């Protein structure tokens, strides 16, 4: 299996990817590199059933690759995923026809095969090519992490999937998992962009306006491991909650009841008081629909820092805070870490993670449909969404998934993202027992399906004391030094005003750059380009200010960067268009920074009022 190309191939591979060849000797028992009829090497691999499968044609692998490549879209703006590298013929054929600005992302699941191939032919033109990324991985986590990092949803307008049929046959399980992983990540990124466009400004604004209450209350981490091996029931507001909500009164005092904000009013109607209420959504509508007028005095509020301020201000019971928005980095160790709650975007995801980190076992899901009811309803009776129905049918955003009753049920992109989070978490932490007592909705892999009454009879018979646990955590909490927080805020205010000044300077240079371009003054063009680039680099390095400023204008900046990538693919783009886009970029940064400065000032005023009241 050795020849003169091996060392040179590995050398280029290391230079491109920074990965050394492993010391472990490859196992070539299931691999054969043989000559095709036309004399070019081809590869065959033994499948799990003992049959040998050719990965390339045994007659003419190059001709076969060119035929397969001809079916792939060649237009610019595509992210092309190739399952199976083998001897590289398909990748070579694709490089010949696809746009040079497209990226080929190759997944090769067999390291032994890759080693054999590296010794079989000269691959340096592929291994060192910047338009190709070769991922040699036999774990889905590596596919997840690498694809998530490399795939730029702004730069690429479409994903194309192709590959070697032999790979899809021999490594079929890994193929199915890889494609599902890609779909999940793309879905997640699409939803995250839409979410940031919609609520990005609220996230930062609320975080600053809630900073005072965030500092004055204990973090949720102070309750971690405090419900060790005790049952927790997480109540969401899916339509199936109608079937068993009445049983939750029986669970009170024998299980900790966690409720998402959407379900609180429905619980109120049944006279059921949850032990913990969770809030994440930063929009005012979240308060108006689900918290305003609800009875929450007897419950603990567990809220992320970005929740709407009215939720904090109107809650009469204990408060535990969570979250780590970018502004918290401003304060270093001045504010203790409150506890990170991972989430797939749903408040029920947050409650689920908290239950796990508090040591609960079993964790019981109720009303967690993650899908539309058969009649199209989205939420349970008693919620503000009880009359909402979807009747539009299936399309790319609405599709069927496996249902708890064994059939299929309609879901959407957002519900599917929440579902994926539950399944990923359960797979990662299988030691806990997860029970789905929703009695309807989508099936969650890794959960045990049970009726809620059966769960109560089997797991919820012993009394649970929660109030003493809450009091102990509150009594042990020590608030940070408020003056130190004010000093940090003052510094951030100065930095933000500096950002405004720098962006204004960039705008002036862009105006001068356009004049220099019109007059074909090469020296002045270079001078102004250099000045603008220097400011842009400064913004890129100043992560804390730049990131937060961009939260306010995510939609506009997304448009700027999308057009920039589109312009890079165009043969006719004019300099005036680029200058217009980047002028818009700096104007929006100024607009965002001014909003940020105003919020910092409001946050400082809140702190000062609190100090005066304490005195």
């Amino acid at each position: 299996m050795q020849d003169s190309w091996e060392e040179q191939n590995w050398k280029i591979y290391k230079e491109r990817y920074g990965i050394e060849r492993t010391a472990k000797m490859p196992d070539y028992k299931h691999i054969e590199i043989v000559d095709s009829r036309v004399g070019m090497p081809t590869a065959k691999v033994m499948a799990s059933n003992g049959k040998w499968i050719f990965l390339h044609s045994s007659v003419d692998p190059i001709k076969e690759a060119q035929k397969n490549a001809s079916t792939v879209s060649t237009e610019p703006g595509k992210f092309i995923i190739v399952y199976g590298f083998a001897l590289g013929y398909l990748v070579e054929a694709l490089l010949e026809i696809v746009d040079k600005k497209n990226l080929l992302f190759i997944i090769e699941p067999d390291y032994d095969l890759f080693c054999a191939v590296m010794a079989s032919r000269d691959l340096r033109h592929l291994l060192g090519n910047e338009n190709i990324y070769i991922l040699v991985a036999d774990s889905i986590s590596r596919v997840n992490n690498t694809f998530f990092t490399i795939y730029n949803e702004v730069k690429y307008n479409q994903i194309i999937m192709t590959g070697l049929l032999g790979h899809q046959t021999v490594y079929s399980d890994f193929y199915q998992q890889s494609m599902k992983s890609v779909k999940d990540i793309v879905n997640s990124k699409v939803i995250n962009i839409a979410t940031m466009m919609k609520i990005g400004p609220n996230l930062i604004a609320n975080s600053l306006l809630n900073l005072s209450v965030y500092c004055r209350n204990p973090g949720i981490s102070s309750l971690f491991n405090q419900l060790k091996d005790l049952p927790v029931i997480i109540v969401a507001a899916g339509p199936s909650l109608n079937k068993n909500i009445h049983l939750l009164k029986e669970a009170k005092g024998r299980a900790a009841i966690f409720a998402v904000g959407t379900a609180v009013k429905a619980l109120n109607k049944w006279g059921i008081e949850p032990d913990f209420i969770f809030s994440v959504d930063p929009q005012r509508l979240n308060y108006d629909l689900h918290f305003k007028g609800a009875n929450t005095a007897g419950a603990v509020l567990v809220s992320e820092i970005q929740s709407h301020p009215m939720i904090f201000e109107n809650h009469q019971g204990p408060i535990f805070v969570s979250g780590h928005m970018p502004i918290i980095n401003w304060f270093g160790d001045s504010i203790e870490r409150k506890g990170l709650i991972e989430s797939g975007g749903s408040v029920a995801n947050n409650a689920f993670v908290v239950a796990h980190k508090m040591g609960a076992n079993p964790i019981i899901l109720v009303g967690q449909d993650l899908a539309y009811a058969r009649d199209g309803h989205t939420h349970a009776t008693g919620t503000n969404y009880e009359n909402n129905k979807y009747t539009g049918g299936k399309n790319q955003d609405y599709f069927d998934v496996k249902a708890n009753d064994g059939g299929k049920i309609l879901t959407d992109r957002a519900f599917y993202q929440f579902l994926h989070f539950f399944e990923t978490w359960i797979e990662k932490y299988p030691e806990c027992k997860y029970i789905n007592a929703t009695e309807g909705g989508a099936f969650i892999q890794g959960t045990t399906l049970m009726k809620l009454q059966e769960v109560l009879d089997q797991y919820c018979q012993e009394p649970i004391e929660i109030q003493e646990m809450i009091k102990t955590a509150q009594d042990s909490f020590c608030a940070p030094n408020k003056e130190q927080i004010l000093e940090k805020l003052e510094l951030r205010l100065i930095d933000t005003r500096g950002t405004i000044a720098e962006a204004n300077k960039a705008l002036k240079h862009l105006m001068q750059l356009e004049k220099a371009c019109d007059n074909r003054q090469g020296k002045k063009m270079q001078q102004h380009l250099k000045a603008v680039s220097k400011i842009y680099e400064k913004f890129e390095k100043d992560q804390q200010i730049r990131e937060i400023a961009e939260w306010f204008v995510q939609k506009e900046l997304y448009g700027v960067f999308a057009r920039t990538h589109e312009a890079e693919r165009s043969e006719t783009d004019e300099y005036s268009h680029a200058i217009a886009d980047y002028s818009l970029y700096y104007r929006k940064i100024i607009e965002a920074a001014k909003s940020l400065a105003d919020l910092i000032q409001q946050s400082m005023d809140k702190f000062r009022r609190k100090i005066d009241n304490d005195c």
Side-chain angles (χ1 to χ4, degrees):
M1 301 296 294
Q2 302 288 322
D3 81 359
S4 60
W5 298 122
E6 186 174 26
E7 292 301 323
Q8 296 179 58
N9 282 336
W10 281 108
K11 181 181 178 183
I12 295 295
Y13 182 74
K14 181 185 175 183
E15 290 174 358
R16 172 76 168 83
Y17 298 97
I19 299 174
E20 293 270 11
R21 177 173 23 174
T22 61
K24 181 182 176 182
M25 288 296 295
D27 181 3
Y28 295 134
K29 293 177 184 177
H30 64 296
I31 300 165
E32 283 190 14
I33 307 295
V34 297
D35 285 340
S36 64
R37 288 187 192 176
V38 297
M40 295 295 295
T42 189
K44 59 181 181 177
V45 177
M46 183 181 291
S48 57
N49 61 5
K51 293 184 178 180
W52 287 91
I53 305 292
F54 274 98
L55 303 180
H56 303 291
S57 170
S58 61
V59 179
D60 190 337
I62 294 179
K63 188 174 181 180
E64 176 201 52
Q66 291 170 342
K67 181 180 178 181
N68 291 338
S70 67
T71 65
V72 176
S73 175
T74 61
E75 291 85 3
K78 306 295 186 290
F79 188 100
I80 302 172
I81 298 175
V82 183
Y83 187 71
F85 180 70
L87 285 154
Y89 295 124
L90 178 57
V91 177
E92 285 177 325
L94 288 168
L95 280 177
E96 289 295 321
I97 62 171
V98 301
D99 188 271
K100 301 303 180 184
K101 295 183 178 67
N102 292 343
L103 181 71
L104 299 180
F105 182 76
I106 296 95
I107 301 173
E108 174 52 65
D110 192 335
Y111 180 76
D112 295 332
L113 172 63
F114 188 68
C115 290
V117 166
M118 293 286 267
S120 300
R121 64 185 296 241
D122 184 5
L123 297 170
R124 291 175 296 173
H125 60 300
L126 301 181
L127 298 172
N129 194 309
E130 293 295 327
N131 294 327
I132 298 172
Y133 191 98
I134 303 172
L135 174 63
V136 184
D138 58 0
S139 73
I140 291 300
S141 63
R142 281 201 63 203
V143 175
N144 277 339
N145 295 337
T146 307
F147 178 73
F148 186 88
T149 302
I150 290 177
Y151 174 62
N152 183 335
E153 67 277 17
V154 179
K155 185 173 183 179
Y156 301 104
N157 55 37
Q158 187 181 4
I159 285 182
I160 305 293
M161 295 183 181
T162 186
L164 305 176
L165 291 178
H167 264 71
Q168 295 176 24
T169 301
V170 177
Y171 313 97
S172 58
D173 288 347
F174 197 77
Y175 170 72
Q176 295 297 332
Q177 293 178 61
S178 297
M179 296 306 103
K180 181 179 184 299
S181 176
V182 166
K183 177 184 175 183
D184 290 342
I185 289 172
V186 172
N187 184 66
S188 174
K189 289 202 171 196
V190 167
I191 289 175
N192 287 342
I193 284 178
T195 300
M196 286 304 304
M197 287 182 179
K198 182 179 179 182
I199 63 174
N202 302 76
L203 295 175
I204 292 301
N206 292 352
S207 297
L208 279 163
L209 295 176
N210 290 331
L211 189 60
S212 176
V213 71
Y214 182 81
C215 291
R216 299 197 320 269
N217 286 283
I220 189 60
S221 58
S222 63
L223 297 180
F224 289 171
N225 298 314
Q226 296 303 305
L227 290 176
K228 188 71 175 173
D229 294 325
L230 296 175
V232 165
I233 299 175
I234 299 172
V235 185
S240 295
L241 184 61
N242 295 337
K243 298 177 182 179
N244 52 22
I245 188 172
H246 60 286
L247 296 175
L248 292 171
K249 187 173 283 189
E250 185 182 338
K252 181 67 177 179
R254 294 191 287 157
I257 299 177
F258 287 14
V260 304
T262 321
V264 171
K265 289 185 177 179
L267 292 171
N268 281 174
K269 287 192 174 183
W270 283 89
I272 300 164
E273 186 177 81
D275 298 298
F276 294 84
I277 298 172
F278 289 78
S279 174
V280 175
D281 193 333
Q283 299 174 95
R284 170 64 188 252
L285 193 63
N286 182 38
Y287 169 74
D288 290 339
L289 291 181
H290 311 311
F291 288 87
K292 187 177 181 180
N295 179 13
T296 63
V300 174
L301 174 65
V302 180
S303 186
E304 295 273 309
I305 186 174
Q306 75 269 14
S307 291
H308 196 275
M310 294 292 287
I311 293 173
F312 285 111
E313 292 169 11
N314 289 278
H315 185 72
Q316 300 301 310
I319 295 175
F320 286 79
V321 293
S322 60
H324 190 79
M325 292 295 288
I327 66 164
I328 302 302
N329 294 328
W330 294 356
F331 306 100
D333 296 331
S334 299
I335 302 176
E336 85 284 2
R337 293 297 181 256
K338 302 290 186 176
L340 179 65
I341 303 176
E342 296 89 337
S343 179
S346 163
V347 65
N349 291 156
N350 289 57
F352 181 77
V353 171
V354 170
H356 187 271
K357 291 189 175 185
M358 289 177 73
N361 194 13
I363 297 174
I364 304 143
L365 302 176
V366 175
Q368 193 60 68
D369 287 62
L370 300 168
Y372 298 90
R374 303 293 185 196
D375 64 1
H377 273 98
T378 63
H379 289 77
T381 302
T383 69
N384 278 84
Y385 299 137
E386 63 182 0
N387 295 320
N388 285 14
K389 293 179 71 173
Y390 175 75
T391 57
K394 290 188 287 186
N395 54 50
Q396 65 177 1
D397 295 317
Y398 295 86
F399 45 89
D400 284 337
V401 291
K402 183 178 178 181
N404 281 326
D405 62 11
K408 296 288 186 179
I409 197 162
L410 190 71
T411 191
D412 62 26
R413 280 181 178 269
F415 281 147
Y416 183 77
Q417 180 178 335
F418 309 154
L419 171 65
H420 176 65
F421 178 87
F422 281 121
E423 292 183 336
T424 302
W425 188 275
I426 291 168
E427 183 180 13
K428 188 175 181 180
Y429 301 104
E431 68 282 355
C432 181
K433 186 172 186 63
Y434 305 95
I435 299 173
N436 193 345
T438 295
E439 301 182 35
F443 177 71
I444 303 173
Q445 185 72 38
T447 61
T448 300
L449 297 178
M450 292 180 70
K451 298 285 188 182
L452 181 56
Q453 186 63 64
E454 295 172 349
V455 174
L456 299 179
D457 293 342
Q458 186 171 341
Y459 295 101
C460 306
Q461 292 299 308
E462 299 297 324
I464 292 179
E465 175 54 53
I466 292 176
Q467 295 306 314
E468 188 60 35
M469 173 187 72
I470 301 301
K471 187 176 184 305
T472 299
Q474 286 185 305
D475 290 345
S476 61
F477 171 68
C478 182
N481 185 298
K482 300 181 186 68
E483 291 295 347
Q484 289 183 2
I485 306 299
L486 280 169
E487 289 175 9
K488 300 285 187 180
L489 285 170
E490 186 65 49
L491 289 174
R492 284 297 132 193
L493 187 57
I494 294 170
D495 288 343
T496 305
R497 289 168 178 164
T499 298
I500 295 170
E502 288 293 303
N504 274 315
K505 191 186 299 182
L507 282 174
K508 291 178 180 178
H509 282 293
L510 284 167
M511 290 174 62
Q512 294 300 316
L513 174 61
E514 187 167 26
K515 289 180 181 179
C517 290
D518 289 341
N519 297 325
R520 301 182 182 278
Q521 297 170 308
K523 189 174 180 180
K524 286 188 176 181
M525 287 167 58
Q526 291 300 319
Q527 175 188 338
H528 294 300
L529 269 174
K530 185 177 179 181
V532 173
S533 297
K534 187 177 179 180
I535 294 170
Y536 186 80
E537 289 171 7
K538 185 177 180 179
F539 280 11
E540 285 292 305
K541 291 176 182 177
D542 194 347
Q543 202 71 8
Q544 294 175 354
I545 291 294
R546 183 186 62 83
E547 279 189 0
I548 292 171
E550 290 182 3
W551 286 70
F552 290 93
V553 286
Q554 180 74 22
K555 182 176 182 179
E556 291 85 352
L557 294 183
Y558 178 88
V560 168
F561 293 129
R563 287 194 300 274
T564 299
H565 289 304
E566 187 177 341
E568 288 174 353
R569 300 190 289 265
S570 172
E571 299 291 333
T572 60
D573 187 60
E574 297 182 10
Y575 69 85
S576 59
H577 296 160
I579 290 173
D581 268 343
Y582 279 95
S583 295
L584 175 61
Y585 168 82
Y586 285 110
R587 286 198 300 272
K588 289 299 177 180
I589 289 293
I590 291 168
E591 178 184 314
K594 286 180 177 178
S595 297
L596 182 60
D598 181 60
L599 288 163
I600 292 173
Q601 188 63 60
Q602 290 183 56
S603 182
M604 292 170 67
D605 293 342
K606 274 194 169 187
F607 262 101
R608 290 193 177 103
R609 284 197 298 271
K610 180 58 184 172
I611 292 172
D612 292 340
N613 291 337
D614 289 345
C615 294

